[in-house]
Amino acid sequence: MRETQNDPFVVVIVGAGPRGTGVLERLLANAAELPPSRPLSIELVDPHPPGAGRVWREQQSPLMWMNATAENVTMFSDETVTFEGPVRPGPSLSEWAATEGGCVDVTCTTFATRQVQSRYLRWVFDKIVAERPANVSVRVHATRATQIEGGMRTRQRVWLEDRDEPLTADVVILAMGHLDAVPGKDPQLLADFADRHDLRYLPCAYSADADLSMFRPGEDVLMRGMGAAFIDLMALLTEGRGGEYREREDGRLRYIPSGREPRLHVGSRRGVPYRSKISYRLAGDPAPLPRFFSAPEVDARFAGRDRIDFWADLWPLMAKEIAYGHYHELFTAHPDRVTIPWEEFAAAYAELDWDGEPMRALIEASVPAEADRLDFAALDRPLRGLDFPGSGELQEHVRDHIRADIDRRSDRGYSADLGAFLALLSVYGQMPLLRCVAKLSARSHATDVNGWWQSFFEYFGSGSPGERTRQLLALAEAGVVRFVGADMWVEIDEEKGLYRAGGASTPDTVEASGLIEARLPDADLRTCTEPLLRSLYRRGDAAEHVLADDDGYVHRTGLLHVSPEDFRVLSKNGTPHPRRFALGPFTNVRQFATFARPRTNALSFRQNDQLARDVLRLLGAQEHAPRLTAEGLALQDVAVGGTVVA
């Protein structure tokens, strides 16, 4: 059956969470690229609510908070965004809360609950759909996509979990977000051990979906990981079980147990929690960024090189940029704590290599107080080299560390930390734009960029709200949370039928009947639970992104391999599919920030716009090409069974 030129173009978006919604917004904003005579039908497939998706759905505990302040979260582009498509401004989360949302308790500096964010995302979705062009329809299918069929020249068939007939599409866009995974060998061994000895084991999972009811009151439970997932699980296992916080006379918190909490023994590689979110604004003017680490300049610097090294080539420039933000704020906002004017320091700083003897001498002479100097090594591994005689001394030290972090991150006198944070964000935003990163070895990609650098960024820049860190300290002081130390290890004791854990910070160990992997699942195309991706992978229509060195080192990323230029899905033989696109954290073109910060030329907006315009141009090029439907499938509402949103 041939379609007429009046039949609609059809785009299927698998995933209707924030990324899918962002791509939808750009398709609608750029719809004028299509011939006006041809309508466009956009079909979104997601079993979870549109806009919010799974992670941000409203049906979760109010104890689940966002990790960014409301003023720093937006789904709308502004004049700073450099893309081809039209800017369509709209409110940030805080602006929406004060107007459309009616959330009087949400201010600019509030860390809103995920329930509030869910309502914002649904409002965004409804708004952009309501403002769609007249020749565009949008439908949501509240189910899961299980398979895609179709050649490179034919329309695609997208099979749904609860339908006998597929959706037929000219283009399919995969925007599923974070993935779950079938437990690998090591987690399965730990789970089997738990089954044999009546223990409790929770593999990596999303906090809102985790079944924590298995963990018993007063039970000793190990928690491996001290990042955002740990904080969420900590809240659910304590306050979520009836515990309360009360403010003491000195302003700190005291935890009142309910008696239903387990005892949590937590550790990680660093052995300390992520740095607390900064609660103040800059005291001086923002530093002009990027200064030493802009993608075009860095690429030009290494243009003639066959290979570059992360630590020798990239990190010195990254560190110099982050430290530049730090010292710019220190010198301009706190001139009484430095010995020379900013202009003099900046001129000398610009001419010196990072961490060389001349640079160290300049900083030591210009910044008298050691507490005002930026020390990456001490910041990254605060327990390194420390050896405590017993667990008691370790507990006291880590509690002191957390108190100091809370105080510093709430004291504007240390606003240089915020200067460093903003420069860190600038560096992070430039990294995906670097073409010279391809000149790194596969081993360096795995251990340095996706390993140490990503971990350091999250540790320094993606920590918990200050209130959560105050709660963690209160739990530690109440004995509900205890620290295992740095370089945590876990082993099983078949004879005792228990888990045992320890670390490098103390010879003491702890035995427990429960173990929680307090981390999110790693994306892995081979073991993910998404049937659509697994079927594509099994057939060879999709491939895992793999990096290999000339010396034989192979790094399997677990990520869906897409073209970094246009986001097309690559097959096992490396061929890009002209009708299949993918974007998000499950692909090798990763953008970790879920939401954009206003007025920052956010990469996610640029990616979404490029993808949407490429898709619309592809459809426009087919205007005069007759298209065959798949098995004569009609596209009426009754045939696909979708909920008509538009």
Side-chain angles (χ1 to χ4, degrees), residues 243-287:
E244 298 180 7
Y245 295 96
R246 295 180 187 171
E247 192 157 319
R248 306 186 322 195
E249 291 184 1
D250 61 1
R252 300 202 186 276
L253 297 179
R254 180 165 66 95
Y255 182 69
I256 311 300
S258 68
R260 295 191 286 120
E261 306 90 344
R263 187 181 300 106
L264 306 176
H265 303 268
V266 302
S268 65
R269 184 174 64 88
R270 290 187 182 88
V272 296
Y274 283 9
R275 296 284 170 161
S276 180
K277 280 286 194 296
I278 295 171
S279 62
Y280 47 75
R281 289 185 166 89
L282 287 174
D285 294 328

Side-chain angles (χ1 to χ4, degrees), residues 38-181:
R38 294 294 295 271
L40 172 64
S41 175
I42 302 175
E43 316 280 344
L44 292 105
V45 181
D46 197 320
H48 302 286
R54 171 192 173 192
V55 173
W56 302 99
R57 66 189 186 274
E58 190 169 358
Q59 286 69 39
Q60 58 183 298
S61 170
L63 293 174
M64 299 292 93
W65 296 356
M66 296 200 68
N67 216 26
T69 55
E71 67 178 346
N72 286 322
V73 174
T74 188
M75 288 289 288
F76 295 98
S77 57
D78 54 49
E79 71 278 7
T80 68
V81 183
T82 54
F83 54 22
E84 288 187 66
V87 171
R88 300 211 305 181
S92 66
L93 174 58
S94 62
E95 292 167 339
W96 168 84
T99 54
E100 305 286 345
C103 304
V104 296
D105 57 337
V106 176
T107 67
C108 291
T109 57
T110 298
F111 292 91
T113 68
R114 293 180 198 168
Q115 292 179 337
V116 169
Q117 174 68 351
S118 180
R119 295 196 288 272
Y120 170 64
L121 292 171
R122 182 60 200 234
W123 178 86
V124 170
F125 181 86
D126 290 343
K127 174 181 171 62
I128 64 176
V129 170
E131 295 174 353
R132 73 197 183 281
N135 66 332
V136 181
S137 64
V138 178
R139 294 189 298 182
V140 175
H141 305 267
T143 186
R144 189 182 305 276
T146 59
Q147 192 169 216
I148 302 175
E149 297 174 342
M152 294 192 177
R153 294 189 175 186
T154 62
R155 303 183 78 200
Q156 306 297 288
R157 296 189 299 174
V158 181
W159 294 90
L160 307 182
E161 196 169 52
D162 60 350
R163 312 287 165 82
D164 293 330
E165 298 293 341
L167 299 176
T168 301
D170 296 282
V171 171
V172 180
I173 301 171
L174 307 181
M176 284 96 95
H178 294 281
L179 306 177
D180 279 331

